[in-house]
Amino acid sequence: MYQWRKFEFFEEKLGGGKCKIPEEISGKIECASSGRGKLVIGCDDGTVSLLDRGLNFNFGFQAHSSSALFLQMLKQRNFLVSIGEDEQISPQQSGMCLKVFDLDKMQPEGSSTTSPDCIGILRIFTNQFPQAKITSFLVLEEVPPILLIAIGLDNGCIYCIKGDIARERITRFKLQVDSSSGEGNSSVTGLGFRLDGQALLLFAVTPNSVSLFSMQNQPPRRQLLDQIGCNVNSVAMSDRSELIIGRPEAVYFYEVDGRGPCWAFEGEKKFLGWYRGYLLCVIADQRNGKNTFNIYDLKNRLIAHSLVVKEVSHMLCEWGNIILIMTDKSALCIGEKDMESKLDMLFKKNLYTVAINLVQTQQADASATAEVLRKYGDHLYSKQDYDEAMAQYIHTIGHLEPSYVIQKFLDAQRIYNLTNYLENLHEKGLASKDHTTLLLNCYTKLKDVEKLNVFIKSEDGVGEHKFDVETAIRVCRAANYHEHAMYVAKKAGRHEWYLKILLEDLGRYDEALQYISSLEPSQAGVTVKEYGKILIEHKPAETINILMRLCTEDIDLAKRVTSNGGYLSMLPSPVDFLNIFIHHPQSLMDFLEKYADKVKDSPAQVEIHNTLLELYLSIDLNFPSISQVNNGTDFNIKARTASNGKLAVDGKNSSIEKDTLERREKGLRLLKSAWPADLEHPLYDVDLAIILCEMNAFKEGLLYLYEKMKLFKEVIACYMQVHDHEGLIACCKRLGDSGKGGDPTLWADLLKYFGELGEDCSKEVKEVLTYIERDDILPPIIVLQTLSRNPCLTLSVIKDYIARKLEQESKLIEEDRRAMEKYQEDTMAMRKEIQDLRTNARIFQLSKCTACTFTLDLPAVHFMCMHSFHQRCLGDNEKECPECAPEYRSVMEMKRSLEQNSKDQDQFFQQVKSSKDGFSVIAEYFGKGVISKTSNGSTGTARSDSISSSSGF
């Protein structure tokens, strides 16, 4: 005890030692109790007084007629239970009574005093329960209104009363504690109830024994716990329902199974109590005769308060304070200081360990505990005890900002301690990216590979890391701990980081390819897109094989399962991987050729063919910036086209030229094979193909495309650009035949070309004139005008052509002249006949009917066409001649048809366009009367009537 430190964690309240019991309490204080915010005092005159928080007299009443010996305030109900002496009814009966007062019900007694309602009075001693001196008293509240009252006697017996005292529904029974005959050695000096689950236990103490009764047994079973005991007022119960007894040599604790801890506090224990985890003792010092009041903190092994006091008669706890009532009716009220005051006191003395234990035992919040630990750590840090300081800082993790600690140990260059702190920070899952970076840097700086292994590889589940994965990978990689970085990346599923380290740092390309092959197709596709450029550069064949598996995996199975190409759309497209070949066009060409050979109906077929065309037609095997993004690269096409149309490569050796020609042959085959005859549009972009052929001077491909698109004029323009006269004429022979769907006007363009050539091309012109004359494509005047522009051509070139055309024209003129004369003669005859019909009478001399050839008799009908019929032979139709009517109707039908066609302008222009001689078509329309002057509606109507009248005639 003398080694325990003393502190002033308590202070005196209510004026300190000047506090006194109110003067209204005039008798000697025999008993006291507290509860429900009241202090209850019983005196030898039988009065009971109630005091408030300031020890002020509240009210008093006469509880017993003689004296009040024992009091207890109940907690669940505002009841007061008292034991005292009252008047004896007979000499054989004792006046000792037990009373229960209801403090909530007050009954007026006269004008000046007030007393509570006494709801129950009970005689303690009866014939079955002989009288003895009462030495201890305890009340247990069971389920209201049931009370269990234990009364200890000086003869070693305990009288128990259980039931509802107010209704006098009680049972009595007796417990025998000690049967020794020695007077004073068997008195029951202390009692204590304990609820152990559903079991009710009763501790009983005598000067030479400690017993335990199991109240659930009938009769209650006694168990002897110890053969030592204590005197009156030296018994208490802890908040854990442990029995505490005080003896001169020590203080003993008891559990249900026997003696527990023992504390060697020397001195006679006059009073013993328990308050909020503190042990209260009033100890008499035999050497100086003084009484000392000590408050012990048993958990922290310190004396929380120590004070020399007068003779104490009663010790109570109420209102959060400890009240000591002295024999001279003075009182001492002691209260506990707040936690902050106690900690400040300890901090000033640098008693940080005590402060830590104090906050932990008093169950302070975690933040308060962390603050104490921080101050202790700061104190140790100031004393340069870095290891112990870090131990304290580690306990503050989760409450103290980590940067506060990290900064301190960065400044002190205590990297080992800092590593320890950061490890614990990660262990609790409170580390940030910066903390991970710092810890890994500490490991690498210390070259502590073992700890680095533990930190990196100690995680159990995939992805369950206590650090930021990306930060760990980045730091390990920067410190050249590539294996550790790869381990973290692989375990966390960060495939991109794993491959980045393999490829960029270690150059292990085969291992990277194996790793990609082991991934799921979707993940493998993403990684190839990101790192494919490096792989293509170093392992092109293997990379292409992986791409083929990604783009065509299980394609044969898919074809058996479905035929609509739906599965193909789920696979990656080769177009998605074009960017990885940006500097390796030969590998791209190999990849796309393999894919195109295996997959014939890919959704990206057009894009694949476009890319292959670029590769095939490019002179230096680069990407022209047409369909692909070239990132600003300038592709210079170093080619020139010779006069024969063949490609010549400058500065290239024969092998390069051979490769270029082979690629061009592939390109031409692709142009043809990707445009089957049954498709209207090819499986590539036609415009792009034309531009590629133009840019790379690929004449064969350009001619094929123009011819396939029926752009015949563009075809001959290609020959004209290179002045290939022989090919030009051959092309016109093939494409200028209208009978085979060609365009005859190509010969006119060819003639114009020769007319503007400016060189002698007599042979070619004569051949062209042959076809122009054969198909009558151009009039001679146009031919002459066209060829006259070429100063190198002489008249002899067209002499025979002009002679033949003049002879032909003369014949035509003669034929037209004869036709005109015939038409004029016919016209004059018709006019004369019409005039004769209008002016002269007609004589009908036919004697036979035209229809039946019998002799004509009356009635008869004669027509102006000189046909005569029996009226019976005509039937109902007497208005037109049956012989001439079909011819007439045919003529009228033809006229109506011509009039209808005259309104169809598209047909008219189509005939003009398709005819060799458009003028003849227009003349024919005029000759048929279809084309006439534009007239308004009334004129047209009158003209129609005139025609009808003439027709009727």
Side-chain angles (χ1 to χ4, degrees):
M1 179 182 71
Y2 296 109
Q3 296 177 356
W4 284 20
R5 291 178 175 174
K6 294 184 179 180
F7 298 95
E8 294 300 323
F9 289 165
F10 287 77
E11 59 186 356
E12 297 182 10
K13 306 284 185 179
L14 304 178
K18 298 179 180 181
C19 184
K20 289 184 177 293
I21 299 298
E23 295 179 355
E24 288 84 351
I25 302 175
S26 57
K28 179 183 176 182
I29 300 175
E30 292 288 343
C31 54
S33 181
S34 62
R36 300 182 70 89
K38 301 181 182 68
L39 200 62
V40 185
I41 296 176
C43 298
D44 59 354
D45 57 1
T47 60
V48 174
S49 301
L50 279 76
L51 306 183
D52 62 12
R53 189 182 184 90
L55 297 184
N56 299 313
F57 182 79
N58 195 348
F59 69 91
F61 63 94
Q62 191 72 36
H64 299 274
S65 60
S66 179
S67 66
L69 300 179
F70 295 93
L71 293 172
Q72 183 170 339
M73 282 289 298
L74 303 185
K75 295 181 179 180
Q76 297 183 22
R77 293 174 291 173
N78 195 15
F79 284 5
L80 173 65
V81 182
S82 69
I83 293 179
E85 291 189 22
D86 284 293
E87 296 179 356
Q88 288 182 336
I89 300 176
S90 65
Q92 291 78 16
Q93 286 185 325
S94 172
M96 197 68 65
C97 294
L98 183 145
K99 294 184 179 181
V100 179
F101 296 94
D102 187 350
L103 300 181
D104 290 333
K105 297 179 180 179
M106 308 299 292
Q107 293 182 354
E109 293 184 359
S111 59
S112 60
T113 60
T114 304
S115 63
D117 187 8
C118 180
I119 62 174
I121 301 176
L122 191 66
R123 295 287 179 178
I124 296 176
F125 301 114
T126 63
N127 293 331
Q128 290 82 12
F129 297 91
Q131 182 176 356
K133 182 180 178 180
I134 300 175
T135 56
S136 58
F137 168 67
L138 187 61
V139 180
L140 174 67
E141 293 181 87
E142 294 189 354
V143 179
I146 306 301
L147 298 179
L148 177 58
I149 301 171
I151 301 172
L153 306 176
D154 63 349
N155 59 6
C157 291
I158 301 174
Y159 289 172
C160 296
I161 303 171
K162 182 176 182 180
D164 185 356
I165 297 176
R167 298 182 180 181
E168 297 184 356
R169 297 177 181 175
I170 61 173
T171 58
R172 297 173 182 253
F173 57 92
K174 180 170 63 174
L175 304 176
Q176 187 65 42
V177 180
D178 196 346
S179 60
S180 61
S181 60
E183 186 177 353
N185 293 328
S186 60
S187 300
V188 179
T189 57
L191 297 169
F193 284 111
R194 171 172 177 154
L195 284 172
D196 194 0
Q198 297 295 325
L200 176 61
L201 306 174
L202 175 62
F203 288 102
V205 183
T206 66
N208 53 17
S209 70
V210 177
S211 302
L212 179 68
F213 290 91
S214 298
M215 304 299 287
Q216 72 270 19
N217 297 330
Q218 293 297 330
R221 180 173 55 84
R222 175 176 176 264
Q223 177 185 355
L224 182 63
L225 299 181
D226 205 348
Q227 293 184 352
I228 61 172
C230 67
N231 296 322
V232 179
N233 295 329
S234 297
V235 179
M237 295 293 291
S238 71
D239 50 10
R240 297 175 56 189
S241 297
E242 299 168 304
L243 178 69
I244 310 171
I245 67 171
R247 292 179 58 82
E249 71 278 4
V251 175
Y252 299 91
F253 282 70
Y254 289 89
E255 289 282 353
V256 294
D257 54 353
R259 185 191 295 180
C262 172
W263 303 92
F265 303 140
E266 295 182 356
E268 181 185 356
K269 313 302 185 298
K270 288 192 172 184
F271 282 91
L272 205 64
W274 189 265
Y275 169 78
R276 294 183 179 178
Y278 294 101
L279 176 65
L280 311 179
C281 288
V282 177
I283 302 176
D285 192 343
Q286 301 296 332
R287 292 171 296 182
N288 54 22
K290 293 183 179 181
N291 297 325
T292 304
F293 174 60
N294 288 336
I295 301 176
Y296 296 100
D297 185 348
L298 301 180
K299 291 183 179 179
N300 297 315
R301 296 178 179 270
L302 57 86
I303 300 175
H305 190 68
S306 182
L307 179 67
V308 177
V309 295
K310 303 176 184 178
E311 188 72 22
V312 178
S313 62
H314 297 86
M315 182 168 64
L316 305 169
C317 295
E318 188 63 28
W319 310 304
N321 297 328
I322 304 167
I323 299 103
L324 300 178
I325 300 176
M326 312 301 175
T327 55
D328 61 356
K329 290 190 178 181
S330 63
L332 186 62
C333 187
I334 300 174
E336 187 177 8
K337 294 181 180 180
D338 59 81
M339 178 62 71
E340 185 176 357
S341 301
K342 292 189 285 186
L343 292 177
D344 289 341
M345 184 188 308
L346 295 172
F347 292 154
K348 290 177 181 178
K349 297 179 181 181
N350 292 330
L351 299 176
Y352 293 97
T353 55
V354 178
I356 293 170
N357 295 331
L358 185 65
V359 295
Q360 290 176 346
T361 55
Q362 296 197 1
Q363 298 180 348
D365 60 343
S367 59
T369 305
E371 180 63 19
V372 176
L373 292 169
R374 181 193 66 80
K375 289 185 177 181
Y376 187 31
D378 292 345
H379 172 70
L380 295 171
Y381 183 87
S382 63
K383 295 171 62 177
Q384 296 185 354
D385 187 356
Y386 299 115
D387 295 338
E388 190 61 30
M390 179 53 72
Q392 305 307 318
Y393 287 134
I394 287 174
H395 292 302
T396 66
I397 291 175
H399 303 282
L400 181 62
E401 177 63 35
S403 59
Y404 177 84
V405 180
I406 293 172
Q407 187 62 42
K408 281 179 173 290
F409 286 85
L410 281 177
D411 294 342
Q413 296 298 311
R414 300 290 299 179
I415 191 170
Y416 292 98
N417 300 118
L418 180 59
T419 303
N420 186 19
Y421 180 79
L422 292 171
E423 286 173 347
N424 283 272
L425 199 63
H426 282 81
E427 186 67 26
K428 295 182 179 180
L430 299 174
S432 66
K433 295 181 180 180
D434 295 331
H435 298 148
T436 302
T437 303
L438 187 58
L439 177 58
L440 292 174
N441 284 331
C442 289
Y443 286 148
T444 55
K445 190 172 183 179
L446 293 171
K447 300 187 184 304
D448 194 342
V449 180
E450 182 178 353
K451 278 194 173 183
L452 183 60
N453 289 336
V454 172
F455 180 74
I456 292 296
K457 301 180 180 181
S458 63
E459 305 297 335
D460 297 330
V462 177
E464 298 177 1
H465 295 278
K466 295 179 181 178
F467 51 83
D468 183 73
V469 172
E470 187 169 342
T471 301
I473 296 172
R474 178 172 47 80
V475 175
C476 290
R477 185 185 178 201
N480 292 326
Y481 286 89
H482 297 115
E483 295 298 331
H484 295 82
M486 289 168 58
Y487 177 85
V488 175
K490 188 174 184 178
K491 190 169 185 179
R494 299 294 183 88
H495 311 298
E496 66 281 3
W497 278 103
Y498 188 86
L499 291 171
K500 184 187 286 288
I501 298 168
L502 277 178
L503 297 174
E504 297 181 3
D505 298 337
L506 304 178
R508 286 146 59 173
Y509 306 108
D510 292 328
E511 186 177 345
L513 289 168
Q514 293 177 0
Y515 183 76
I516 293 175
S517 300
S518 65
L519 297 177
E520 294 291 330
S522 58
Q523 296 175 341
V526 173
T527 53
V528 170
K529 288 179 184 178
E530 187 167 358
Y531 301 104
K533 293 181 183 179
I534 301 177
L535 293 172
I536 283 294
E537 182 177 357
H538 296 88
K539 297 288 181 179
E542 294 82 353
T543 306
I544 289 175
N545 291 335
I546 289 180
L547 289 175
M548 285 297 296
R549 285 199 300 271
L550 287 175
C551 297
T552 63
E553 187 173 2
D554 295 334
I555 198 168
D556 297 331
L557 175 62
K559 287 182 178 179
R560 292 194 295 269
V561 174
T562 178
S563 59
N564 57 7
Y567 183 82
L568 285 177
S569 62
M570 298 171 59
L571 293 173
S573 172
V575 179
D576 299 336
F577 303 100
L578 293 183
N579 63 309
I580 69 175
F581 295 95
I582 190 65
H583 300 301
H584 305 279
Q586 183 64 49
S587 299
L588 174 60
M589 187 167 64
D590 296 340
F591 169 53
L592 293 181
E593 285 177 347
K594 289 182 178 180
Y595 181 83
D597 290 341
K598 188 170 184 179
V599 183
K600 301 299 183 181
D601 52 353
S602 171
Q605 197 170 22
V606 173
E607 291 83 355
I608 294 172
H609 289 164
N610 290 342
T611 307
L612 281 173
L613 284 175
E614 293 186 51
L615 295 168
Y616 288 153
L617 303 184
S618 177
I619 296 174
D620 52 359
L621 201 57
N622 276 324
F623 292 99
S625 55
I626 299 172
S627 66
Q628 304 296 334
V629 178
N630 60 10
N631 296 324
T633 307
D634 183 18
F635 298 104
N636 296 318
I637 302 174
K638 301 177 180 179
R640 54 191 175 91
T641 306
S643 59
N644 59 357
K646 299 295 181 180
L647 185 69
V649 180
D650 291 335
K652 304 292 184 180
N653 54 32
S654 58
S655 62
I656 296 178
E657 183 177 355
K658 180 180 179 181
D659 176 69
T660 304
L661 293 176
E662 288 179 354
R663 285 190 288 108
R664 299 234 163 168
E665 291 176 0
K666 291 181 180 180
L668 185 58
R669 285 198 299 270
L670 178 60
L671 288 174
K672 294 179 179 180
S673 62
W675 197 340
D678 57 338
L679 293 181
E680 182 180 357
H681 301 288
L683 300 176
Y684 50 82
D685 189 341
V686 179
D687 296 332
L688 173 64
I690 291 175
I691 294 174
L692 289 173
C693 293
E694 287 277 7
M695 292 179 62
N696 297 282
F698 184 41
K699 188 181 75 172
E700 291 83 354
L702 198 61
L703 292 176
Y704 171 78
L705 291 172
Y706 284 153
E707 188 171 337
K708 192 74 174 177
M709 298 170 66
K710 297 189 181 301
L711 300 176
F712 301 139
K713 294 186 181 296
E714 283 74 7
V715 175
I716 64 173
C718 294
Y719 287 100
M720 293 177 181
Q721 289 177 358
V722 297
H723 301 289
D724 184 4
H725 298 168
E726 182 180 352
L728 187 59
I729 293 176
C731 178
C732 285
K733 289 179 181 180
R734 188 176 72 257
L735 303 179
D737 189 353
S738 59
K740 298 180 181 180
D743 185 6
T745 60
L746 296 179
W747 293 107
D749 295 335
L750 186 56
L751 185 67
K752 182 179 179 181
Y753 164 75
F754 286 127
E756 297 175 351
L757 188 59
E759 63 182 50
D760 188 7
C761 50
S762 302
K763 179 181 178 182
E764 291 81 357
V765 170
K766 288 180 179 180
E767 188 172 0
V768 171
L769 288 176
T770 303
Y771 290 96
I772 290 178
E773 182 181 2
R774 184 193 69 180
D775 295 334
D776 197 14
I777 297 171
L778 290 175
I781 187 64
I782 300 300
V783 173
L784 287 173
Q785 291 175 352
T786 302
L787 295 178
S788 63
R789 299 171 186 162
N790 190 341
C792 299
L793 295 177
T794 60
L795 187 60
S796 60
V797 176
I798 60 172
K799 177 179 178 182
D800 295 337
Y801 167 76
I802 293 299
R804 289 192 300 273
K805 292 301 288 184
L806 288 175
E807 182 180 358
Q808 184 180 359
E809 292 293 335
S810 299
K811 291 180 180 179
L812 290 174
I813 292 173
E814 182 61 28
E815 291 176 359
D816 290 341
R817 186 182 61 77
R818 287 196 296 268
M820 288 172 59
E821 290 177 354
K822 181 177 180 301
Y823 290 148
Q824 286 177 352
E825 291 176 357
D826 293 342
T827 301
M828 291 299 295
M830 288 181 183
R831 287 178 177 175
K832 184 177 179 182
E833 183 178 0
I834 292 171
Q835 182 65 25
D836 184 44
L837 289 173
R838 288 179 176 178
T839 56
N840 300 323
R842 299 285 285 179
I843 299 173
F844 301 98
Q845 297 179 349
L846 287 178
S847 59
K848 293 183 179 181
C849 175
T850 306
C852 61
T853 66
F854 288 105
T855 304
L856 191 65
D857 56 6
L858 296 178
V861 178
H862 304 280
F863 290 95
M864 299 299 288
C865 59
M866 303 306 295
H867 291 141
S868 299
F869 300 90
H870 292 113
Q871 189 175 14
R872 62 178 179 273
C873 292
L874 291 177
D876 296 334
N877 188 10
E878 298 180 358
K879 294 184 178 181
E880 60 181 3
C881 173
E883 292 290 327
C884 299
E887 183 180 357
Y888 173 74
R889 280 195 295 269
S890 176
V891 173
M892 294 305 296
E893 184 66 29
M894 184 182 299
K895 185 176 181 182
R896 280 193 299 270
S897 176
L898 291 174
E899 290 177 351
Q900 184 68 28
N901 292 338
S902 67
K903 299 177 182 178
D904 189 353
Q905 300 178 4
D906 294 336
Q907 182 180 358
F908 169 72
F909 288 110
Q910 183 64 31
Q911 290 181 5
V912 173
K913 184 177 180 180
S914 60
S915 176
K916 297 179 180 179
D917 187 2
F919 181 78
S920 62
V921 175
I922 298 174
E924 182 182 358
Y925 268 75
F926 272 107
K928 293 178 180 179
V930 175
I931 299 177
S932 61
K933 292 183 179 180
T934 303
S935 59
N936 55 27
S938 59
T939 306
T941 303
R943 180 177 178 272
S944 177
D945 293 341
S946 174
I947 293 173
S948 298
S949 176
S950 300
S951 300
F953 172 76

